[in-house]
Amino acid sequence: MSGLYAREGRSVSTMAHLRFFPLAAVGGSGSYLTGDDGRRLLDFAASWGAASLGHSHPAVRGAVNRALSDQAGASYLSSANEPCVQLAEKLLSLVPERARGRVWFGHSGSDANETVARMVVAATGRPRILAFSGAYHGGTVGSMAVSGHPAQQGIRAAGLTLVPYPDSFAAGSPEAAKEAALSHLENLFATEVPPQEVAAFFIEPIQSDGGMLVPPDGYFQAVETLCRKHGILLVSDEVKVGLGRSGRFHAFEHSGIEPDIVVFGKGLGGGLPISAVVGPEAILNHAVAFSLQTVHGNPVCAAAALAVLQTIERDHLVQNAEKSGKVLRDGLGRLAARHALIGDVRGRGLALGVELVTDRSSREPATRQTALTVYRAFQLGLVLYYVGVRSNVLEFTPPLTLTEAEAREGVAILDEALADVAEGRVDETILADFAGW
Ligand code: PMP
């Protein structure tokens, strides 16, 4: 354990910690972090996708410097500011027609989803909300209330109903997963959840924290049809997998659907805290002073977000996510041929997951081996975390700027880490302080 990590242990609360290994970073550039021991670490997590352009990107630095050198206040609660308005205009131009109304700004995916949850119920007068089992929509009281991730220590909303996310690997095929998930939903509508009481369905176009689950073809189109039929608002949580990460600008595009409300966070600020909700005016203008925190809409974070969106366009980062993502995915696929621990490789673009199992036919989760693998990868120079309702899915959300060479470098490190774990070369006691989730 490094000096910085130990000092942190004596001064900083652990309540926001989700630690997998003792990483203490002192800097970073592009796809690499610098550890306080001087090591360069290839970052396949990008702070859970928040560092969308990598670390110290010149466009973000320039935008932040300009915004701070003539600062138009620190908030949009009681005054308009140019970066915020420009960012709203830009976001409106990027969403489907039915969501093109108004934009609300927050700090995080959590406050954005919490705002949506309160707003849709208030605006429609319908008391119920649907979301997926395994869904992570945030860590505040109101966003946990509409989530379904088992690791969360919060209370679900009285009006929440969780429905299964179609899991093709667990079900044996995409078709089987789709049929089961849809019939569950239709049955709910016919019985205990009257659809006319449902305000909104929060969807994850790829269920990232729940295990990087990719929906079967046609599943979300069927969900969209049901929502339209019953006047249920479709809310796409693009917080982790949106803004180019999936190889399309919006992750919902892969499913051929058009949500009513789109939620952005994480990568929007390129490392700075900003989130956005985009949706119809009648919903987004439901009431004034309805959801506000003092430095919401601050011009510094809004300027960073504008720079992120401009850079994604200018540097063709959606295409890069597709291209480098293919190299990464192909490399992971080759590892699957050699490592019995790998049960499934899935995802889209640079939102990828590798599910580890102790036995491919029974698909028993290799939970301990997953924790050991990310720890060993860290020792070897690669930062990645794991997700999944059974804590056995390696998650890949590197910067959108990732090069093909970096993708290959990371695969080579992971190859070594997996071999070390499978052959018992990693001391299990290292996990004592790293419960992960
Ligand atoms: N939505 C999704 C899909 C997420 O993955 C997360 C974070 N893991 C959130 C919302 C909440 O974002 P934040 O932690 O930045 O508030």
Side-chain angles (χ1 to χ4, degrees), residues 193-204:
V193 180
Q196 68 279 7
E197 292 181 10
V198 179
F201 190 168
F202 277 72
I203 67 156
E204 294 156 298

Side-chain angles (χ1 to χ4, degrees), residues 67-123:
L68 273 176
S69 62
D70 190 10
Q71 195 179 339
S75 164
Y76 82 152
L77 304 193
S78 305
S79 61
N81 69 72
E82 180 70 32
C84 243
V85 174
Q86 261 188 49
L87 180 60
E89 290 164 351
K90 182 70 189 168
L91 287 170
L92 287 172
S93 76
L94 291 168
V95 298
E97 177 72 38
R98 59 186 308 122
R100 207 168 294 157
R102 294 290 186 274
V103 182
W104 173 95
F105 290 112
H107 297 319
S108 64
S110 301
D111 65 10
N113 282 319
E114 175 162 332
T115 296
V116 175
R118 292 176 51 221
M119 180 181 78
V120 292
V121 168

Side-chain angles (χ1 to χ4, degrees), residues 48 50 107-113 135-140 143 203-206 208-209 237-241 263 265-266 395 437:
W48 296 101
H107 297 319
S108 64
S110 301
D111 65 10
N113 282 319
Y136 191 104
H137 294 299
T140 58
S143 56
I203 67 156
E204 294 156 298
I206 297 172
S208 39
D209 288 344
D237 182 341
E238 299 276 321
V239 167
K240 198 195 273 186
V241 296
V263 183
K266 291 200 196 249
E395 187 185 66
W437 63 334

Side-chain angles (χ1 to χ4, degrees), residues 132-415:
F132 288 110
S133 301
Y136 191 104
H137 294 299
T140 58
V141 170
S143 56
M144 269 197 281
V146 294
S147 296
H149 200 286
Q152 293 180 315
Q153 302 169 38
I155 295 163
R156 307 297 181 212
L160 177 72
T161 302
L162 296 173
V163 301
Y165 199 97
D167 181 339
S168 302
F169 181 61
S173 76
E175 264 315 302
K178 180 170 116 178
E179 290 311 316
L182 283 176
S183 62
H184 184 101
L185 188 59
E186 281 160 0
N187 184 49
L188 270 182
F189 283 165
T191 56
E192 66 215 65
V193 180
Q196 68 279 7
E197 292 181 10
V198 179
F201 190 168
F202 277 72
I203 67 156
E204 294 156 298
I206 297 172
Q207 187 174 73
S208 39
D209 288 344
M212 211 46 110
L213 303 178
V214 176
D217 286 347
Y219 170 72
F220 274 126
Q221 278 175 329
V223 167
E224 182 183 44
T225 303
L226 281 171
C227 286
R228 299 281 175 259
K229 180 172 159 197
H230 299 296
I232 297 168
L233 294 163
L234 198 54
V235 180
S236 187
D237 182 341
E238 299 276 321
V239 167
K240 198 195 273 186
V241 296
L243 299 176
R245 174 162 300 287
S246 72
R248 304 267 181 93
F249 190 81
H250 302 292
F252 62 73
E253 289 173 43
H254 294 275
S255 296
I257 58 168
E258 295 201 344
D260 301 279
I261 295 175
V262 189
V263 183
F264 301 105
K266 291 200 196 249
L268 179 62
L272 273 79
I274 182 164
S275 58
V277 176
V278 191
E281 191 207 335
I283 310 284
L284 268 286
N285 275 352
H286 170 67
V288 297
F290 180 82
S291 177
L292 63 153
Q293 294 175 45
T294 307
V295 288
H296 274 175
N298 76 81
V300 181
C301 293
L306 260 175
V308 167
L309 296 177
Q310 283 158 359
T311 305
I312 288 173
E313 256 175 42
R314 188 198 63 200
D315 295 351
H316 310 292
L317 295 182
V318 183
Q319 294 85 334
N320 190 65
E322 172 73 33
K323 215 155 59 76
S324 291
K326 184 169 182 333
V327 172
L328 183 51
R329 193 197 172 106
D330 289 351
L332 296 172
R334 280 193 294 278
L335 294 190
R338 289 212 310 285
H339 295 280
L341 266 177
I342 297 183
D344 193 28
V345 175
R346 55 181 177 249
R348 286 180 163 140
L350 285 173
L352 297 172
V354 170
E355 179 159 348
L356 300 188
V357 293
T358 53
D359 171 32
R360 279 184 184 163
S361 50
S362 68
R363 300 186 274 263
E364 275 305 303
T367 306
R368 196 174 42 81
Q369 292 90 334
T370 305
L372 288 171
T373 300
V374 299
Y375 197 108
R376 183 64 184 142
F378 161 69
Q379 290 178 322
L380 296 170
L382 177 68
V383 173
L384 86 162
Y385 309 140
Y386 62 82
V387 294
V389 295
R390 301 187 302 174
S391 310
N392 69 325
V393 181
L394 304 174
E395 187 185 66
F396 302 78
T397 55
L400 304 179
T401 49
L402 190 82
T403 66
E404 296 182 18
E406 289 164 350
R408 280 188 280 269
E409 182 190 339
V411 170
I413 297 175
L414 183 60
D415 191 8

